[in-house]
Amino acid sequence: MAIAPEPGASSRDTEQLHALGYAQELRRGMRTFSNFAVSFTIISILSGCLTLFGFAMNVGGPAIMTLGWLVVGGFVTLVALGMAEVASSYPTAGGLYYWAAKLAPESGRDPAKWSWFVGWFNLIGQVAVTAGIDFGLASFTTALLNLTIGFQVTPQSTIAVYAVVLVLHALLNTFGIQLVKVLNDLSVWWHLVGVAVIVVVCTLLNQHTRTDLGTVFSKTVNNTGFDPTGSPIGLMVLGIPLYVALIGLLNAQYTLTGYDASAHMSEETHDAATAAPRGIVFSVVVSVIFGFILLVAMNIGITPDKVFQAADGTAVDGYAHALGSSTGVPPAQIWIDAVGQTGGIIVLFLVVGAQFFCGMSSVTANSRMIYAFSRDGAVPASSFWHRINKRTRTLTNWIWLAAVGAFILGLPYLYSPVAYFAITSIAVIGLYVAYIIPVFLRLLAGDRFTEGPWTLGRWSRPIGIVATIWVAIVFVLFMLPQAFPITISSFNYTPVVFLVVLGGAAIWYFASAHKWFKGPKVQGSPEELAAIERELELQA
């Protein structure tokens, strides 16, 4: 029987969601552009590219930053294409872990086990990417406050600002999908204007000698402390150890995350079977293009010939001056050196605005994924976390838990200056393992996979193979040390986080959950699903 959709939702979307086993509990307030905007905003080239810009200056330098961006962008596009094909068949907020449950039987595997671990990888990655985005925002905000009102930048003050922005993002998400939709749509144009302004400031308005393109694409830097002498991984590339060049890809790989948000917003998007795949793919492609332009412009904007005085009184060039900036944010110093403090502050304000939008969207996607995971009983106290605010139809409980989880991940910064890099590694590994497993299972399923309206056709197999190999490399790469010598303050604690969280999830599964967790649950018959929807409408 056909179920009448809630106002504003298409009957086709609602019927498809019913076929997947779920009621239309969330409002469908998004179209294709808004769905794209969520993922594009979370990728946020003005967040990822710039918050890890100082890391990239030390680990690889301009050549790895720019050319590596294109390499990573190509592989990430393949991952996105593979995900988009699966999203078209299963447009539900559960996204990755739901896909794994549906594809595993077609590949001869246990759906519950694969769904469980994909969900937990995704959960870790979602919380970590929110932490990475908002911690980067806190760093840039403290730099802005330092330049405008003399705010003292310390680990403690940065953590305090970090807490404030997390609270603001949780509050904004609590008010409902319509406000988030409007801000996401605005964010796309804010990002594009921000990139254009940075390009103009760094290349046209720059008052000093700029770095030439040849240098941008050839200069490499190794400030990691890694010495390849006598090392079995001592191969060199462009004058630096291959090990350092590969670790330097973190800037690009971290930035190009979060586009699974288009899948998690499926239950709030019209024509989700085509809109969500398009959102996934186009958010990546557009970000790769404009991110490359941004990174090239930023490196051109560094003034190599101008002599600056460092804090210790020594003379340094523009590159070293940016790295040693008193603001703690090398990009801000590059803009100030190029056009003066007032102009630099204006650019920094635009970037902080973009990063604020990015963090808001990350909390949105984070809460939707965990809402779906708890809906299927895979999270402790699931019945509590699954509750929906009857007035706004938003996921108030999970929104606040996501914010608290992200805050906890950022606390090691109080004693470790490289903690932020570990957060970004956690986000990359957690998300990309969750991204690739459904693609891998679809690859194994072959012709048994039921395609949706958006399909790769004969390209599905080669794209899936290459994407899977790339993520396997990424998984190992960002578990490795990022600074030498290895001490408590330079330790990459990514493996520890995965050991604790995934180890706990594994123990829980094999000790108890395997007896009752069977993968995504069906909420009821068509009549029961319709009753759930009517009750929500009456209580709204």
Side-chain angles (χ1 to χ4, degrees):
M1 102 181 220
I3 305 299
E6 64 167 288
S10 71
S11 59
R12 181 174 59 186
D13 282 318
T14 304
E15 289 171 1
Q16 186 171 24
L17 188 58
H18 287 181
L20 297 175
Y22 299 122
Q24 183 67 61
E25 295 181 292
L26 304 176
R27 295 194 188 279
R28 286 193 189 267
M30 291 185 168
R31 298 285 180 181
T32 301
F33 180 81
S34 297
N35 184 281
F36 154 83
V38 173
S39 286
F40 180 76
T41 298
I42 295 176
I43 292 174
S44 182
I45 54 179
L46 292 181
S47 178
C49 286
L50 298 180
T51 53
L52 277 180
F53 194 85
F55 171 87
M57 290 178 74
N58 278 314
V59 187
I64 303 303
M65 203 186 309
T66 53
L67 299 178
W69 175 270
L70 295 178
V71 171
V72 171
F75 285 116
V76 167
T77 300
L78 297 182
V79 176
L81 286 167
M83 290 171 58
E85 183 178 47
V86 181
S88 183
S89 292
Y90 310 114
T92 175
L96 309 163
Y97 89 94
Y98 183 95
W99 304 347
K102 293 301 180 183
L103 288 167
E106 298 176 359
S107 310
R109 280 150 177 83
D110 179 1
K113 185 184 299 182
W114 284 82
S115 177
W116 176 272
F117 285 100
V118 167
W120 278 98
F121 268 107
N122 198 14
L123 189 154
I124 295 172
Q126 287 280 357
V127 173
V129 83
T130 297
I133 292 165
D134 273 3
F135 196 90
L137 168 60
S139 298
F140 274 61
T141 301
T142 55
L144 180 62
L145 294 174
N146 173 264
L147 292 170
T148 52
I149 62 173
F151 184 81
Q152 187 175 4
V153 180
T154 65
Q156 291 77 17
S157 64
T158 301
I159 289 291
V161 173
Y162 178 48
V164 170
V165 297
L166 281 168
V167 168
L168 290 176
H169 285 150
L171 287 172
L172 279 171
N173 274 276
T174 301
F175 292 139
I177 189 61
Q178 287 304 317
L179 177 59
V180 172
K181 171 185 172 295
V182 170
L183 293 176
N184 275 324
D185 290 354
L186 172 63
S187 171
V188 173
W189 305 110
W190 188 290
H191 273 80
L192 296 180
V193 169
V195 171
V197 168
I198 290 173
V199 170
V200 170
V201 163
C202 290
T203 62
L204 300 180
L205 300 182
N206 198 325
Q207 302 167 356
H208 308 289
T209 303
R210 295 174 290 274
T211 302
D212 63 87
L213 270 177
T215 301
V216 169
F217 295 135
S218 62
K219 179 178 179 177
T220 54
V221 176
N222 175 19
N223 290 335
T224 65
F226 176 73
D227 182 0
T229 304
S231 170
I233 52 174
L235 295 175
M236 304 292 286
V237 58
L238 295 175
I240 61 170
L242 176 62
Y243 180 84
V244 174
L246 291 173
I247 292 175
L249 298 178
L250 177 62
N251 180 304
Q253 195 73 48
Y254 165 69
T255 301
L256 297 172
T257 56
Y259 46 90
D260 57 315
S262 289
H264 297 308
M265 303 304 291
S266 292
E267 294 181 31
E268 296 161 85
T269 303
H270 292 269
D271 301 318
T274 54
R278 288 171 181 165
I280 290 170
V281 174
F282 285 109
S283 62
V284 170
V285 171
V286 173
S287 296
V288 170
I289 294 169
F290 283 92
F292 180 70
I293 294 170
L294 172 66
L295 288 173
V296 171
M298 284 294 300
N299 280 285
I300 288 175
I302 298 173
T303 56
D305 297 332
K306 182 173 173 58
V307 177
F308 297 90
Q309 187 172 3
D312 61 2
T314 59
V316 296
D317 63 11
Y319 200 91
H321 188 235
L323 279 174
S325 175
S326 60
T327 66
V329 175
Q333 195 64 56
I334 292 171
W335 302 323
I336 292 170
D337 291 346
V339 293
Q341 183 152 315
T342 300
I345 288 173
I346 293 172
V347 178
L348 183 56
F349 172 79
L350 287 173
V351 170
V352 166
Q355 293 174 356
F356 187 85
F357 290 134
C358 177
M360 177 197 67
S361 294
S362 181
V363 172
T364 304
N366 192 338
S367 61
R368 268 58 177 179
M369 178 269 154
I370 309 176
Y371 149 78
F373 206 33
S374 62
R375 176 171 63 185
D376 294 323
V379 179
S382 288
S383 60
F384 175 76
W385 302 119
H386 176 62
R387 292 176 189 171
I388 293 176
N389 185 309
K390 305 298 183 183
R391 182 178 62 84
T392 63
R393 300 281 288 273
T394 55
L395 317 168
T396 304
N397 295 352
W398 259 122
I399 287 168
W400 287 98
L401 185 63
V404 171
F407 180 73
I408 292 171
L409 270 183
L411 287 178
Y413 180 73
L414 290 172
Y415 67 84
S416 172
V418 299
Y420 179 66
F421 309 145
I423 293 173
T424 57
S425 293
I426 294 166
V428 167
I429 294 171
L431 288 177
Y432 271 93
V433 169
Y435 289 176
I436 206 60
I437 289 177
V439 176
F440 175 69
L441 291 174
R442 185 267 176 270
L443 183 66
L444 295 180
D447 294 337
R448 295 186 297 277
F449 172 70
T450 303
E451 296 177 341
W454 199 99
T455 176
L456 296 174
R458 63 189 178 89
W459 290 101
S460 180
R461 183 171 178 78
I463 286 174
I465 291 172
V466 176
T468 301
I469 293 172
W470 175 251
V471 174
I473 294 171
V474 165
F475 178 83
V476 175
L477 191 60
F478 299 127
M479 289 280 192
L480 301 175
Q482 298 165 338
F484 298 85
I486 301 172
T487 64
I488 188 64
S489 62
S490 65
F491 178 64
N492 179 6
Y493 64 90
T494 301
V496 175
V497 170
F498 279 99
L499 180 64
V500 171
V501 179
L502 283 176
I507 292 171
W508 184 20
Y509 180 80
F510 290 109
S512 171
H514 75 280
K515 301 174 184 177
W516 48 263
F517 180 76
K518 305 304 178 184
K521 296 178 181 178
V522 174
Q523 283 184 301
S525 67
E527 291 77 11
E528 290 169 329
L529 299 179
I532 294 172
E533 292 162 359
R534 284 195 298 271
E535 182 182 357
L536 285 171
E537 284 300 316
L538 290 173
Q539 294 174 345

